[in-house]
Amino acid sequence: MQTTLLNTLKHLKSQSNQADLRRFQRGIERECLRITPAGKLAATTHPIELGKTLTHPHITTDYAEMLLEFITPVATDIQVTLDQLTDIHSYTYRYMGEELMWPLSMPCFVGDATDIHIARYGDSHSGHMKNLYRQGLTYRYGGGMQIIAGVHFNFSIPQAMWEALAAQDGETLTADYISARYFGLIRNYKRLCWMIPYLFGASPAICQSFLEHTDGAMELKKLGKGTVYREFGTALRMSDLGYTNKEQADLQITYNSLNDYVTRLRRAITTPSQRFAKIGVKEVNADGTPDYRQLNANILQIENEFYSPIRPKRVTLNGETPTQALERGGVEYIEVRALDVNPFSPIGITEGQIRMLDMLLLHCLLSDSPELNWDEQQATERNFNKVVLDGRDPRLSLNDRGYDRAIADWLEEIFADLQSIAKFLDGEQGQSYQETVAEHYQMVLNPELTLSGQMLRILRDEDLDNSYFGLRLAKQYRQELQQPLRYFSEDEFSSWRDASIAEQQAREDEDSGTSFDDYLKTYFEKARCTAAECGSS
């Protein structure tokens, strides 16, 4: 085991407040498509019985009107988070009629591009901006990339652990210290995040119809009537076929400091793009009304357009951009964005996955994390892409600090470290984390036990198309999710619905006498300044 990791674990074990050290804060964001019983994209609007997607705290949409997004509140107990997510699924199903939730990351059958309906958020300026941003994504990258679903895992370190780490380092506990340590975590995550598609990638096969909606290309095999797959693939969602953006490679956004990160990101949202300028920003219709195509012609329309498998985050205040929030208060939590939807779970993620993410992120936090220059960061991204495409190939090797290393050998070393972390997290009485390590270690010994391996085995053994496999699971999970609420109450869901409707109406009433053009101008004027500059204006 690394000396730094070993010494830090010993230091943490010596603390008297063990329970407080393990009180990680977590939240889940799960996306899924609404589909028809025939396995096609739902053409209906978001059910009004669920409230308004612009203002609902837990049930919203992402890019498309049929792409649901479920958001759990912050919790420190894994089972609470899972119960919250289950309740949101169960409640939503009550108002979906015969429609189903698609249980895979890659879409069901996609016919014409016009079947992909951009999400609507009402007539307020903020709602119009959200819709227009998505319109810009369509012109820039196509709609196909925007109906891919994933799971985001939000994670923060408890105050007690920060205090213990700062004491060990001989540092005063400040927002700057916490941000620097979070960026160290992110750099190590970049070095090791190939583990996530290896263990949890669940999109080795896709519906052939999707190839008509992507610019990516690679060698694929045919399966059944309408499925294509990669022999040793793990997460085609994260490949050139799926949720990637090659245009952003030139941004050279690194993670060596908060200041460098926000400076480069702000530059991207203020620098014009020749390519995107050709799309146009605002045309004028024959009747004189404006017809926006995108928010602007910059490299990024807004900061959320920057695609990354991990993001440093802080909850924004009213009127703040994400970078301004980071400048104001430092990093509050990190968002892991590399997870496929788990097809073997009715809610897209399992307790075991959460425990593995806890351990992997703690490994990244407690290990040495030297700066990562752009060339080194690109090497980590090539490792990630190799595992996405061929992660279950037993002959696969990755770049470890400039040298080729067999993936199985590297996994063995990491799992030895995770076992020690598991013992710390379990404490004197528990076994859950150690059992989770033992369970997932079997995937190191046999790659076919990974989620992608399990999925491909079912498709091959049963000669199933991807679409039939997904539809079968969707129908099964619909039945399983017809259950009483576990955590939330009926009154809570009703109050969220009513409050979301009222809040959206209030926004629309407030904006009715003002210009959307002026709203955008003001927004981007504020987006260009730092938190300190905006605060002083």
Side-chain angles (χ1 to χ4, degrees):
M1 179 185 289
Q2 308 163 41
T3 302
T4 300
L5 180 58
L6 178 61
N7 289 340
T8 305
L9 285 174
K10 286 182 178 178
H11 173 69
L12 294 175
K13 289 177 182 178
S14 71
Q15 304 299 300
S16 59
N17 54 342
Q18 290 293 299
D20 293 337
L21 295 176
R22 305 183 185 102
R23 198 164 284 122
F24 305 120
Q25 292 185 304
R26 310 175 189 84
I28 303 291
E29 301 169 33
R30 187 264 164 106
E31 302 160 346
C32 64
L33 288 167
R34 286 187 293 113
I35 63 168
T36 69
K40 296 183 179 180
L41 296 175
T44 53
T45 57
H46 185 80
I48 186 58
E49 296 87 351
L50 298 175
K52 294 293 188 177
T53 55
L54 178 67
T55 47
H56 199 292
H58 305 302
I59 303 173
T60 183
T61 54
D62 198 301
Y63 168 83
E65 184 71 8
M66 72 287 290
L67 185 56
L68 293 163
E69 182 174 6
F70 300 144
I71 305 167
T72 68
V74 175
T76 57
D77 184 283
I78 293 175
Q79 191 56 53
V80 165
T81 294
L82 294 172
D83 286 347
Q84 291 171 340
L85 190 56
T86 300
D87 280 359
I88 297 171
H89 281 74
S90 297
Y91 190 82
T92 300
Y93 252 132
R94 298 181 188 180
Y95 302 102
M96 284 179 53
E98 295 183 344
E99 292 176 355
L100 302 165
M101 296 181 194
W102 184 244
L104 307 180
S105 275
M106 296 301 283
C108 58
F109 176 82
V110 184
D112 193 84
T114 57
D115 294 337
I116 304 171
H117 302 153
I118 298 173
R120 302 289 303 183
Y121 298 97
D123 296 325
S124 68
H125 293 334
S126 57
H128 187 26
M129 182 176 174
K130 285 174 72 75
N131 176 261
L132 178 54
Y133 165 60
R134 286 153 175 77
Q135 180 70 48
L137 296 177
T138 303
Y139 278 111
R140 290 175 175 220
Y141 317 114
M145 190 175 105
Q146 312 303 326
I147 55 170
I148 296 170
V151 174
H152 299 170
F153 180 70
N154 299 316
F155 179 87
S156 67
I157 302 298
Q159 179 73 9
M161 183 171 287
W162 285 130
E163 291 171 355
L165 294 176
Q168 183 190 32
D169 291 342
E171 298 276 357
T172 302
L173 183 58
T174 63
D176 287 343
Y177 173 82
I178 291 173
S179 293
R181 290 298 300 253
Y182 267 128
F183 270 87
L185 182 160
I186 291 171
R187 290 193 297 275
N188 278 338
Y189 175 89
K190 293 288 289 185
R191 294 177 171 107
L192 296 182
C193 67
W194 52 265
M195 282 185 63
I196 292 181
Y198 178 85
L199 295 171
F200 302 137
S203 51
I206 63 175
C207 183
Q208 191 169 3
S209 67
F210 185 77
L211 298 180
E212 301 297 321
H213 303 275
T214 177
D215 293 332
M218 66 179 64
E219 183 179 342
L220 298 168
K221 294 186 176 183
K222 186 78 178 289
L223 180 67
K225 296 180 180 179
T227 299
V228 290
Y229 72 101
R230 182 88 174 178
E231 179 72 24
F232 298 111
T234 63
L236 297 185
R237 162 182 169 265
M238 301 298 294
S239 73
D240 285 348
L241 293 178
Y243 207 71
T244 59
N245 189 337
K246 289 177 284 189
E247 301 298 328
Q248 297 181 11
D250 293 337
L251 297 178
Q252 297 195 17
I253 292 176
T254 57
Y255 301 92
N256 293 322
S257 72
L258 186 151
N259 181 66
D260 184 61
Y261 174 80
V262 299
T263 298
R264 290 174 183 267
L265 196 50
R266 182 171 288 120
R267 185 182 304 149
I269 66 170
T270 57
T271 302
S273 162
Q274 291 184 350
R275 176 173 177 261
F276 296 147
K278 295 176 182 177
I279 297 170
V281 176
K282 184 174 72 170
E283 306 294 326
V284 179
N285 295 322
D287 61 0
T289 58
D291 179 19
Y292 276 95
R293 296 192 171 191
Q294 52 185 338
L295 291 173
N296 54 56
N298 295 334
I299 296 172
L300 302 178
Q301 297 175 92
I302 57 176
E303 294 165 24
N304 287 348
E305 193 173 335
F306 176 55
Y307 300 120
S308 173
I310 190 168
R311 285 178 180 169
K313 300 289 288 285
R314 171 166 285 275
V315 175
T316 57
L317 301 179
N318 186 37
E320 272 188 331
T321 66
T323 54
Q324 288 164 352
L326 288 173
E327 289 173 316
R328 169 180 54 81
V331 183
E332 184 176 12
Y333 66 98
I334 54 99
E335 178 189 34
V336 172
R337 300 165 49 84
L339 283 165
D340 279 355
V341 174
N342 184 340
F344 303 107
S345 164
I347 58 173
I349 191 169
T350 66
E351 177 183 350
Q353 286 180 281
I354 293 175
R355 292 191 187 278
M356 283 298 296
L357 289 168
D358 284 351
M359 290 183 281
L360 177 61
L361 294 173
L362 199 56
H363 185 288
C364 292
L365 176 71
L366 304 183
S367 301
D368 280 329
S369 184
E371 289 194 354
L372 199 61
N373 66 37
W374 179 243
D375 288 340
E376 291 168 334
Q377 186 169 304
Q378 285 185 302
T380 70
E381 290 167 3
R382 285 192 292 270
N383 282 345
F384 185 86
N385 291 333
K386 288 177 74 172
V387 175
V388 159
L389 295 179
D390 297 305
R392 287 178 296 103
D393 186 343
R395 300 163 298 179
L396 183 66
S397 63
L398 303 177
N399 183 323
D400 181 12
R401 292 164 291 187
Y403 297 94
D404 283 346
R405 185 174 188 183
I407 185 172
D409 175 62
W410 202 345
L411 283 165
E412 289 277 356
E413 178 184 292
I414 295 168
F415 267 76
D417 290 346
L418 294 182
Q419 179 64 25
S420 297
I421 293 172
K423 290 179 180 178
F424 160 68
L425 293 176
D426 279 333
E428 296 297 326
Q429 305 298 325
Q431 289 290 322
S432 298
Y433 281 95
Q434 293 169 78
E435 290 171 355
T436 298
V437 171
E439 175 188 349
H440 288 81
Y441 180 64
Q442 298 305 309
M443 300 179 186
V444 177
L445 300 177
N446 182 2
E448 298 312 304
L449 295 178
T450 60
L451 295 187
S452 59
Q454 293 180 56
M455 181 176 168
L456 265 185
R457 184 175 66 251
I458 292 171
L459 295 181
R460 286 167 169 163
D461 290 353
E462 300 184 33
D463 194 24
L464 288 181
D465 269 315
N466 202 53
S467 57
Y468 183 85
F469 173 68
L471 191 57
R472 184 172 73 180
L473 287 175
K475 293 176 179 178
Q476 173 188 329
Y477 294 153
R478 180 189 174 95
Q479 293 300 315
E480 292 182 16
L481 290 165
Q482 305 292 321
Q483 57 178 277
L485 300 179
R486 300 179 179 182
Y487 183 85
F488 296 124
S489 68
E490 301 283 346
D491 288 344
E492 284 177 302
F493 277 107
S494 296
S495 66
W496 291 328
R497 176 198 62 214
D498 295 345
S500 73
I501 294 171
E503 184 180 347
Q504 177 162 315
Q505 186 61 55
R507 292 193 191 187
E508 292 176 358
D509 292 344
E510 182 180 352
D511 292 342
S512 60
T514 59
S515 162
F516 179 65
D517 284 354
D518 289 343
Y519 173 85
L520 277 189
K521 180 181 178 182
T522 300
Y523 177 89
F524 285 114
E525 284 176 350
K526 290 183 177 179
R528 293 186 185 97
C529 65
T530 66
E533 291 168 342
C534 287
S536 62
S537 60

